[in-house]
């Protein structure tokens, strides 16, 4: 379907948001020049790419237009004026992970506010004063299969709001793993500074000062520590005017499925469904998979070729030590922006998202040697590998692999077990991301 036809069809259709519990009291959005900003940006991106327009993506873009319009009605024109343009190249805007770098960090001001000088049970510092809570606007929780465009469209909404209201202190976009890691780190730092009260409201206020429009990519809960704190944090955010846009491979009811003490987490699911419209964006098309061309990035039973790749990199081989929240992370083999790591060292030993994010931020290419075929009995190893790939993907790292299997799809064999475990459910996303990270388009990112 041509984008010209879709542009014309926009004038004939007005999809309702089906928002029976929308919290905005300003009534339905009025028609204005900004009412189709996300859709127009989507169609413009399609025009400047080799992709084809997708009706399912268009439907969700139109729902995002409704959210955008309510935000504009609440906030006023302000900022830089009406939305006028966005990057023409789809490759520069199709991955929300490109927005999780320091420019869009939600933690830029939190660390400076959490210090001994502000360690008090009472929020006396003016740095913690928030403006009056605006009328809440119901967000979106978009779930669907891997590669169907959830992240792409959320990025368009995020960039559109940045274009209108400025790049900081209004909207923020972050990978959910990184968000939760930073949240726990900030709570720990606040307690360590001598703060005696409840740290959750104070840390949550710091998040809000970076922007009340919160876009989360890959919303998932697999850790009991996350499950136990998440409702308190999000309740504070929502009660103070936050709007949440989230993407996930799971429906809300499937979050933290079979997790420890899940009964304490279930009330959050109901809050999430009340505060966000749940959108099914399932698709039979994996757009990441359309770009697959691994070339020399996957070495099957070819450690010699893998080592030769590393040897041909310019520069002297060296060791490097990274600081990860006060811990040392040793990288034994580095050269010219490349890190060569052993699978067993990073996935069979106790490492986590903090280590993997530090690795991805330090190097533009990560080479993983010794990737085996995994089975469900290896679920702890599989879980670490999934988080490793997620973190490298969010850092836009290039990926080179030496493995005993022929392709990413062969790394994990779930056997006859049904896809109930989070690891099984998440694997399809990991496989898709590994394939995309081997594409020509991905190799041109950095």
């Amino acid at each position: 379907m041509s984008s010209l036809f879709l542009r014309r069809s926009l004038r004939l259709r007005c999809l309702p948001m089906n928002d029976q519990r929308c919290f905005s009291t300003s009534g339905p959005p009025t028609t204005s020049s900004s009412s189709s900003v996300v859709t127009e940006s989507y169609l413009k991106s399609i025009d400047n790419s080799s992709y084809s327009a997708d009706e399912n993506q268009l439907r969700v873009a139109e729902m995002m237009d409704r959210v955008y319009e309510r935000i504009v009605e609440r906030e006023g024109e302000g900022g830089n004026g009406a939305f006028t343009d966005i990057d023409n190249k789809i490759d520069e805007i199709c991955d929300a992970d490109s927005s999780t770098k320091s420019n869009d960090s939600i933690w830029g001001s939190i660390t400076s506010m959490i210090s001994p000088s502000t360690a008090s049970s009472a929020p006396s510092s003016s740095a913690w004063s928030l403006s009056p809570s605006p009328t809440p606007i119901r967000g979106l929780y978009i779930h669907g299969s891997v590669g169907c465009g959830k992240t792409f469209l959320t990025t368009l909404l995020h960039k559109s709001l940045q274009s209108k209201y400025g790049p900081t202190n209004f909207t923020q976009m972050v990978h959910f793993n990184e968000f939760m890691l930073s949240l726990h780190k900030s709570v720990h730092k606040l307690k360590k500074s001598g703060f005696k009260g409840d740290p959750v409201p104070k840390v949550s206020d710091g998040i809000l000062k970076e922007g009340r429009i919160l876009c989360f990519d890959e919303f998932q809960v697999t850790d009991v520590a996350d499950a136990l704190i998440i409702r308190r944090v999000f309740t504070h955010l929502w009660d103070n005017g936050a709007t949440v846009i989230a993407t996930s491979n799971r429906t809300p009811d499937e979050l933290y499925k079979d997790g420890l003490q899940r009964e304490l987490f279930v009330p959050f699911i109901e809050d999430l469904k009340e505060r966000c419209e749940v959108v099914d964006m399932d698709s039979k098309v994996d757009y990441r998979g359309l770009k697959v061309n691994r070339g020399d990035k996957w070495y099957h039973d070819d450690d010699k070729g893998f080592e030769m790749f590393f040897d041909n990199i310019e520069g002297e081989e060296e060791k490097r030590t990274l600081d990860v929240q006060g811990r040392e992370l040793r990288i034994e083999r580095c050269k010219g922006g490349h890190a060569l790591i052993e699978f067993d060292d990073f996935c069979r030993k106790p490492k986590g998202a903090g280590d993997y994010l530090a690795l991805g931020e330090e190097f533009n290419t990560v080479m993983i040697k010794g990737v085996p075929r995994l089975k469900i009995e290896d679920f702890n190893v599989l879980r670490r590998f999934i988080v490793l790939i997620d973190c490298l993907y969010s850092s836009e790292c290039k990926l080179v692999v030496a493995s005993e299997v022929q392709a990413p799809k062969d790394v994990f064999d779930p056997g006859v077990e049904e896809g109930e475990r989070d690891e099984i459910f998440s694997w399809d996303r990991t496989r898709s991301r590994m394939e995309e990270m081997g594409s020509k388009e991905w190799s041109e990112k950095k």
Side-chain angles (χ1 to χ4, degrees):
M1 180 180 296
S2 71
S3 58
L4 177 60
F5 173 80
L6 290 174
R7 288 181 193 275
R8 290 173 177 170
S9 68
L10 274 175
R11 299 182 177 89
L12 303 177
R13 291 185 299 165
C14 183
L15 299 182
M17 195 171 178
N18 191 25
D19 198 0
Q20 295 93 339
R21 291 191 288 181
C22 180
F23 292 88
S24 175
T25 59
S26 59
T30 57
T31 301
S32 72
S33 60
S34 63
S35 61
S36 298
V37 61
V38 180
T39 299
E40 288 296 324
S41 179
Y42 168 75
L43 295 175
K44 184 175 181 180
S45 299
I46 295 299
D47 285 343
N48 289 279
S49 75
S50 59
Y51 290 80
S52 299
D54 184 297
E55 278 282 0
N56 208 23
Q57 293 176 354
L58 178 62
R59 173 178 61 87
V60 176
E62 291 177 330
M63 299 175 79
M64 289 182 170
D65 285 332
R66 309 299 189 272
V67 175
Y68 181 94
E69 187 69 12
R70 288 188 173 98
I71 291 171
V72 172
E73 285 191 345
R74 184 183 74 181
E75 302 293 336
E77 289 301 321
N80 300 324
F83 176 85
T84 56
D85 195 18
I86 199 164
D87 298 335
N88 289 331
K89 296 182 180 179
I90 194 171
D91 292 332
E92 296 176 6
I93 59 176
C94 68
D95 295 307
D97 299 292
S98 64
S99 299
T100 65
K101 298 292 185 177
S102 58
N103 287 345
D104 291 331
S105 173
I106 64 173
W107 307 102
S109 65
I110 294 179
T111 301
S112 63
M113 288 187 278
I114 299 174
S115 62
S117 63
T118 61
S120 169
S121 58
S124 57
S125 172
S126 60
W128 290 98
S129 300
L130 288 171
S131 58
S133 300
T135 303
I137 294 174
R138 197 180 188 204
L140 297 171
Y141 181 96
I142 307 162
H143 66 91
S145 55
V146 298
C148 66
K150 305 181 297 294
T151 297
F152 167 44
L153 289 170
T154 304
T155 303
L156 294 183
L157 174 60
H158 171 65
K159 295 288 187 181
S160 299
L161 289 168
Q162 280 190 321
S163 179
K164 186 171 185 63
Y165 292 104
T168 60
N169 299 327
F170 187 82
T171 176
Q172 28 185 331
M173 187 160 188
V174 65
H175 191 281
F176 196 69
N177 271 346
E178 186 175 351
F179 173 81
M180 293 307 300
L181 180 69
S182 298
L183 176 66
H184 288 299
K185 181 180 178 181
S186 297
V187 169
H188 174 73
K189 188 170 184 178
L190 184 57
K191 288 181 176 179
K192 191 175 180 180
S193 71
F195 184 77
K196 302 299 182 183
D198 181 2
V200 169
K202 199 156 194 170
V203 171
S204 300
D205 283 347
I207 297 171
L208 291 166
K209 285 187 71 66
E210 294 292 319
R212 285 189 170 101
I213 312 301
L214 305 172
C215 300
F216 296 111
D217 190 34
E218 300 296 350
F219 197 104
Q220 61 177 340
V221 183
T222 59
D223 183 81
V224 64
D226 293 349
L228 295 178
I229 196 175
I230 195 170
R231 189 186 187 199
R232 296 182 58 225
V233 171
F234 275 77
T235 296
H236 187 91
L237 296 175
W238 280 320
D239 287 348
N240 286 276
T243 296
V244 171
I245 311 295
T247 73
S248 181
N249 296 126
R250 287 208 164 203
T251 67
D253 290 329
E254 293 173 322
L255 290 171
Y256 198 50
K257 192 163 187 174
D258 300 324
L260 294 173
Q261 297 181 286
R262 189 175 188 265
E263 67 278 4
L264 301 178
F265 177 78
V266 169
F268 169 74
I269 295 176
E270 298 307 312
D271 293 344
L272 182 65
K273 291 191 289 188
E274 182 178 355
R275 300 284 189 161
C276 297
E277 181 169 6
V278 179
V279 182
D280 183 353
M281 197 180 166
D282 206 12
S283 172
K284 298 184 183 302
V285 180
D286 179 354
Y287 286 95
R288 294 190 193 122
L290 298 179
K291 299 183 285 187
V292 173
N293 178 24
R294 291 213 61 88
D296 60 354
K297 303 298 191 301
W298 190 275
Y299 292 85
H300 170 229
D301 282 341
D302 186 12
D303 285 353
K304 183 177 180 180
F306 181 82
E307 290 287 347
M308 187 177 296
F309 182 101
F310 186 73
D311 290 342
N312 289 335
I313 298 168
E314 292 186 6
E316 293 293 325
E317 183 174 337
E318 61 177 345
K319 297 181 180 181
R320 198 173 301 179
T321 300
L322 309 183
D323 179 72
V324 182
Q325 301 175 29
R327 295 183 292 104
E328 290 188 350
L329 177 65
R330 290 280 292 174
I331 310 299
E332 298 295 335
R333 302 181 66 184
C334 314
K335 186 193 288 189
H338 292 60
L340 194 159
I341 64 174
E342 297 283 344
F343 177 90
D344 286 354
D345 288 342
F346 276 74
C347 296
R348 294 195 186 275
K349 295 180 180 179
K351 288 186 172 63
D355 302 297
Y356 305 146
L357 286 168
L359 180 69
E361 290 298 321
E362 182 72 15
F363 300 97
N364 59 46
T365 301
V366 173
M367 303 177 63
I368 309 176
K369 187 176 182 178
V371 176
R373 187 189 302 273
L374 298 172
K375 297 184 177 181
I376 190 59
E377 292 80 8
D378 305 308
F379 69 89
N380 282 326
V381 178
L382 176 64
R383 179 183 298 173
R384 293 191 190 103
F385 186 58
I386 288 171
V387 176
L388 170 61
I389 296 302
D390 277 348
C391 292
L392 297 182
Y393 185 92
S394 72
S395 299
E396 296 187 352
C397 275
K398 300 179 182 69
L399 182 67
V400 183
V401 173
S403 175
E404 66 183 50
V405 301
Q406 291 186 342
K409 65 181 179 62
D410 301 319
V411 171
F412 174 55
D413 177 14
V416 297
E417 187 162 343
E418 296 294 328
E420 291 294 328
R421 297 184 67 108
D422 276 302
E423 294 81 9
I424 297 175
F425 202 93
S426 299
W427 171 250
D428 203 33
R429 178 187 75 245
T430 303
R431 183 269 312 158
S432 175
R433 287 185 163 184
M434 291 172 70
E435 290 176 346
E436 183 183 6
M437 292 166 82
S439 69
K440 179 181 178 182
E441 290 89 342
W442 190 269
S443 68
E444 295 172 350
K445 279 180 173 287
K446 280 188 177 180

